[in-house]
Each structure stands twice: as structure tokens, then as C-alpha cells.
Amino acid sequence: MAQKPSVPRGTRDFSPAEMLRRNYIFDIIRRTFSIYGYLPLETPAMENLSTLLGKYGEEGDRLIFRILNSGDFLSGLEPSALAGADSASLASRFSEKGLRYDLTVPFARYVVQHRDEISFPFRRYQIQPVWRADKPQKGRYREFFQCDADVIGSDSLLNEFELIRIIDRVFSELKINVLINVNNRKILAGIAATAGAGDRITDITVAIDKLEKLGSEGVRQELLQRGITPDVIRRLDPFLSLRGSAEEKMTGLKREIAASQEGLKGISEMEELFSYLGMEPSQARVELDLSLARGLNYYTGTIIEVKAADMAIGSICGGGRYDDLTGIFGLPGVSGVGVSFGADRIYDVMLHLGLFPEQTGASTEALVINFGRDELPEQIKITAALREAGIATELFPDAVRLKKQFSYADAQHIPLVIIAGSEEIKASQATVRNMKTGKQTTVSLSALPEFISEAKNR
RNA sequence: GUGGUUGUAGCUCAGUUGGUUAGAGCGCCAGAUUGUGGCUCUGGAGGUCGCCGGUUCGACCCCGGUCUUCCACCCCA
């Protein structure tokens, strides 16, 4: 064999067995989105770079896959321009399209572009792959599927509430134990402002986000490294040590950030959200986590993150509210909120914890044995009759040894095998073998579809 | 993007301080069983030891590069 073929780094093939399991996940997510009134939408794999760039922060821009322009993009270029050697500015002459990095920004673009056709609030769901030029690791791929549900054109916290209901329902149907953490960007802004460093909110939140991992001393170090003054860090201290239930934390917070309008707004939003959550309790624990800062640059209010309780693989679902994403595309004043399920990580979690049901999705229910030319007309008829009755049926394409045909049924986990050789056909009968029990039953051809239907329901 | 790590049969992995024909288990194929899978027994096929180059009389083993895997940082689903 010549050089073995392969797929690019960080991308994968999905075998039929894997696809059946993946579809099990997608089906549950899709069904749940649909029950909450979300409508399907798809957008192109590639977007103009002007749509993508500047939406995800500096790091995000770096991770966008760029598509080379078609044609001879070097033709108009002065050799001296190449000597200038600024690859970033040169790149804009070679490339004006990129692969989508998430589903939220293309959605915002869609909403602005089609605003006249949309009645608000607009709820859409979208299940498609996204691409990131990250260095792959376990649970981190360069091509992966996101399952997004967003509502745009409504400020109501009821949307947040329902999205958390969706998260809870999806994961309880998938049998994954999760922790749902929520926080609010306005609270984080209020904390930064109270500490006297409102302009350093990004550095402060990124550091605070590492509280769980580094501990409070580690966070102080991180803050120092990011150039936050010891003075400010000292004033941040009370926030790092807030404990207790959501209510208790918020009571403490209200005292601390009373001077920040924005912070108080954030707290009242969270109070409203938690009051809704009290009306319809979740199966999963929903916690107010003041150290939660994750999320893309564009989040402005609620932020949500979901982690698997029984496996460390990073977040498997995340989301939040963005007040001005459409503003960047020329439609200001429209707020949206959404969540995104990471199908690939959910798959990894379920595989690791053995949570997939034994039979995931469709596969062949009956195999008709091929005996050769003389019996073939009858076998074709049998196959057709079974399919007509809604039974997933295969006719073995080659008249090879029975041993081979039975091994195939065994390997494919086909539960029933239909044997209709010359003997059976003469008597207008067929023998049905149950591959699990080994039990064989002879039935008349006319009663066969009904017999199989009953057999498969047992 | 920075630093590290991995790569031997379809799969999981042995192996050699550099020395003739590189092994096991599982899987696959064939036979024992010419209309019956899963169990058992017997036999068989399958490897340019990730790729390219270097050192050497000689490289799967040493060196360099490259691709891939995984890990940490970063960031995220």
C-alpha cells in the first residue's frame, strides 16, 4: 500500500456505529428545542471575514480558519509588499472568507440581513459543525458540532429561565449528571467598578475565573501578573470569599456593590431568574457562581456554563445574553440570549460513562437469506413485503454459503434471519430464526410480515 | 501560538545496550460442519516498525526534520 490516507489534524471520521450514537444525542436535543418552540436554521460553513473578525476577541481571531481566495491572488502584488513581511496585513489580500467559529455570530448576521422577514422574538435552533484552529487535545477538536438555541428580540429573563429548563431536560434525558453555573456580566462589571478598576474588567474576570483551579492566592498572583494594583486586589477580596446559596451571595453582594448601578441591575436580574427557577425546580443543581466569567467577548448579561458532574472534560454546554451583537451588523438595540451544546464532548462523556442505550437508532431488523437463482424471485418478494410492512430488511446480495450469511447477521446484530429455501417455498412457508435465542419458527409466507412485526416488538 | 509526549499487523500492545527470517492476544480468512452465526479445535493471510533524510559495515532501535496522538499553558464546546 502506498502512503496511508488520513484526515487533517483535529478532524475525525464517524463510523456508522458512532453516527447512530451521535444521532441519538442530536435527536434528543433537536426534539427538546422543538418542544420549546425553536425553529431550525442553517447558515453556510464559510462567512466573510468581515463578519467573523473582531467578535471573539484577539484569541478568537487567531483561531479562525481562513480560506484562500480563488484565482491568482498574488498577481497584483508588488514584490516589495512581500518584503514588508507583516503577515497579518498581507493575509487580508489573500483571504476574505473564513470557516465559521461558532453559530451565534452567523445567526446575528442572519437576523440583521433578514430583519424584514422575521417577527420578533425570534427563536431558532441550529445544529452544525464549527471550526477552530486550536491545538487539539482530548475533548478539543478542530471541527466539532454545536447545537445552539437562541432567542433574539426579547429582554425577558423568562428566556434565560427556559433555556436552563432546556439544558436540564436534555441532560436528564441523556442521563448525564450536570452542574449548571450561572453568573451575570453586569455583576462582574459592578465588582470591578467597586474595586476601582472598571476599565480592567477583562483582566479581572479572566483571573477570577481561575478561582476554582488556582485558589484565592493563585488568583491574586494572576491579578498581579496582569498588572492589577495590590490596592485593587485587596478590594476584590470580599468577592472572592462570598459563599452560600444564591440568595445569600446576592444579599452579601448588594451591600458590597451598592454604589454600582450596573452591578445592582445584574443582581436584580439574577434574583428574577432564580425566582423563576424556584417555580419549576430543575433536576440538576443550578448555582450562582460569581467566579464564572467564561464566555465569548460579546456577552453582556447572564452567562451560563454546564459541566459534567462525573467526568472532567471542560464545559459541555455554555451560553449567555448578548445585548448588542446585531448592533455590530447595523441593527442596534436588539438583545438576544442563547445556549450551545457541545455534541462532541457530550458524546465523549456518554461513551466514558457508558450511558448510551444498547440499541441506538435504526439498524436492519431482518436478513433474508440468498439461496441462489432458483429461489431468488420468492426472496425478492419476501423482502419487498417486509419492507412494505415497515420492517428494515436486507436481502443478502450474494448466494454464498449460509455460514457466511449467518455470520454477517451476527456481526451486524441483525436480530432475525428469514430462511426460505426450496423446501419452504414449495410449502409457501419461511423459517424465521431468532439470532439471540436460536429459536426457529416456520410460518406461512402470507403471515410472515405480521409475525416479524410482532417478533420485533418483543 | 509556547513547552513536552506518542506512533510496531485491522485493534490492544510486547520487543531489541544498533546485528540474519519482528512477536502475542483479539479480529479476519479457510477447514472440521456442501441449508444455519455465537462455543471449541486445526491451518492461513496480513508489517517498507508514521513519513523523509542523516550517522553507521549494518537502523524498528541513535540523530535531525515533518506529520499524528495525548498533556500543560492559553483559550474554549
Side-chain angles (χ1 to χ4, degrees):
Chain A
M1 187 163 51
Q3 183 77 297
K4 262 189 194 172
S6 64
V7 296
R9 181 176 209 191
T11 67
R12 295 143 315 144
D13 291 320
F14 300 113
S15 67
E18 288 166 321
M19 277 313 297
L20 289 173
R21 290 194 290 260
R22 286 172 65 84
N23 283 339
Y24 172 77
I25 296 172
F26 289 133
D27 287 348
I28 285 177
I29 292 175
R30 193 179 291 115
R31 210 182 316 129
T32 307
F33 285 166
S34 167
I35 278 175
Y36 278 79
Y38 289 75
L39 268 16
L41 178 77
E42 290 203 0
T43 63
M46 65 184 97
E47 292 278 352
N48 293 323
L49 281 180
S50 55
T51 301
L52 263 17
L53 259 14
K55 311 299 188 297
Y56 309 105
E58 208 177 307
E59 179 75 5
D61 282 357
R62 204 171 53 82
L63 296 178
I64 291 170
F65 275 109
R66 290 156 195 249
I67 296 171
L68 226 43
N69 288 347
S70 310
D72 184 7
F73 48 75
L74 278 180
S75 63
L77 208 64
E78 304 288 315
S80 58
L82 281 170
D86 178 0
S87 53
S89 68
L90 269 180
S92 63
R93 309 193 54 169
F94 299 158
S95 167
E96 53 198 22
K97 296 180 291 298
L99 295 176
R100 76 165 98 76
Y101 178 89
D102 74 353
L103 301 178
T104 309
V105 166
F107 174 53
R109 190 225 81 220
Y110 174 89
V111 167
V112 175
Q113 200 176 324
H114 298 266
R115 59 181 112 176
D116 296 336
E117 310 154 30
I118 296 171
S119 61
F120 295 97
F122 178 48
R123 303 168 175 229
R124 75 83 237 236
Y125 74 83
Q126 189 169 351
I127 299 178
Q128 287 190 277
V130 303
W131 294 268
R132 296 185 186 176
D134 221 336
K135 218 172 197 177
Q137 290 182 26
K138 195 178 217 76
R140 168 178 293 190
Y141 307 101
R142 288 183 145 182
E143 177 185 61
F144 59 96
F145 274 70
Q146 290 192 328
C147 314
D148 276 36
D150 288 78
V151 202
I152 202 155
S154 163
D155 294 331
S156 169
L157 272 300
L158 274 177
N159 298 306
E160 271 92 335
F161 164 61
E162 292 210 336
L163 287 169
I164 289 174
R165 298 298 315 133
I166 287 176
I167 290 170
D168 192 47
R169 177 160 177 160
V170 164
F171 287 117
S172 80
E173 282 195 32
L174 291 172
K175 310 250 186 298
I176 300 175
N177 295 318
V178 294
L179 303 171
I180 303 173
N181 288 320
V182 298
N183 195 9
N184 193 299
R185 271 282 162 94
K186 296 188 179 92
I187 294 179
L188 291 169
I191 290 174
T194 304
D199 53 329
R200 305 297 304 277
I201 177 168
T202 304
D203 282 311
I204 290 175
T205 53
V206 167
I208 289 181
D209 188 49
K210 295 178 182 172
L211 185 59
E212 193 185 342
K213 189 169 167 184
L214 303 177
S216 50
E217 192 44 48
V219 170
R220 281 185 205 105
Q221 291 299 321
E222 179 84 21
L223 285 164
L224 266 178
Q225 248 168 40
R226 287 174 179 269
I228 306 297
T229 64
D231 213 35
V232 171
I233 296 175
R234 206 169 313 117
R235 268 173 287 174
L236 246 21
D237 246 10
F239 301 106
L240 296 180
S241 50
L242 277 174
R243 295 276 138 70
S245 70
E247 287 73 20
E248 289 164 344
K249 283 181 195 165
M250 286 191 282
T251 307
L253 257 181
K254 262 192 266 188
R255 263 199 323 272
E256 302 285 347
I257 60 173
S260 165
Q261 278 301 92
E262 191 180 11
L264 290 177
K265 177 88 189 337
I267 292 172
S268 81
E269 285 181 11
M270 289 300 94
E271 283 175 336
E272 185 179 346
L273 175 57
F274 274 89
S275 81
Y276 294 142
L277 288 168
M279 297 173 198
E280 190 190 350
S282 290
Q283 196 157 313
R285 208 170 75 218
V286 184
E287 213 168 307
L288 176 66
D289 178 2
L290 295 173
S291 72
L292 174 61
R294 290 167 170 268
L296 289 322
N297 265 16
Y298 45 69
Y299 290 137
T300 51
T302 312
I303 42 186
I304 303 170
E305 182 181 75
V306 183
K307 283 183 165 172
D310 305 317
M311 182 184 178
I313 194 170
S315 63
I316 54 178
C317 179
R321 178 171 288 277
Y322 38 92
D323 280 336
D324 205 30
L325 197 48
T326 58
I328 303 167
F329 298 118
L331 181 63
V334 179
S335 183
V337 58
V339 294
S340 177
F341 290 82
D344 303 80
R345 283 186 181 174
I346 291 172
Y347 180 96
D348 289 345
V349 169
M350 292 185 65
L351 199 65
H352 180 74
L353 298 176
L355 298 177
F356 284 108
E358 219 171 290
Q359 276 291 83
T360 41
S363 65
T364 303
E365 293 158 318
L367 176 74
V368 179
I369 296 290
N370 185 332
F371 280 92
R373 207 187 312 146
D374 292 343
E375 292 84 359
L376 196 53
E378 200 54 56
Q379 282 146 9
I380 288 175
K381 262 191 241 167
I382 292 171
T383 307
L386 292 180
R387 286 175 179 156
E388 196 60 36
I391 297 153
T393 309
E394 283 181 53
L395 169 59
F396 201 88
D398 306 290
V400 294
R401 298 171 299 107
L402 290 208
K403 182 184 167 74
K404 171 79 186 166
Q405 301 193 40
F406 274 87
S407 301
Y408 173 81
D410 195 44
Q412 302 294 313
H413 303 112
I414 298 172
L416 299 169
V417 173
I418 318 298
I419 307 139
S422 53
E423 295 298 306
E424 285 92 344
I425 290 171
K426 229 176 280 170
S428 286
Q429 290 180 324
T431 301
V432 179
R433 181 179 177 88
N434 180 319
M435 294 296 281
K436 209 163 223 164
T437 62
K439 192 182 164 204
Q440 298 198 169
T441 315
T442 301
V443 293
S444 75
L445 288 181
S446 56
L448 189 61
E450 196 188 347
F451 178 84
I452 303 279
S453 293
E454 281 172 22
K456 83 174 197 192
N457 285 332
R458 270 200 301 272

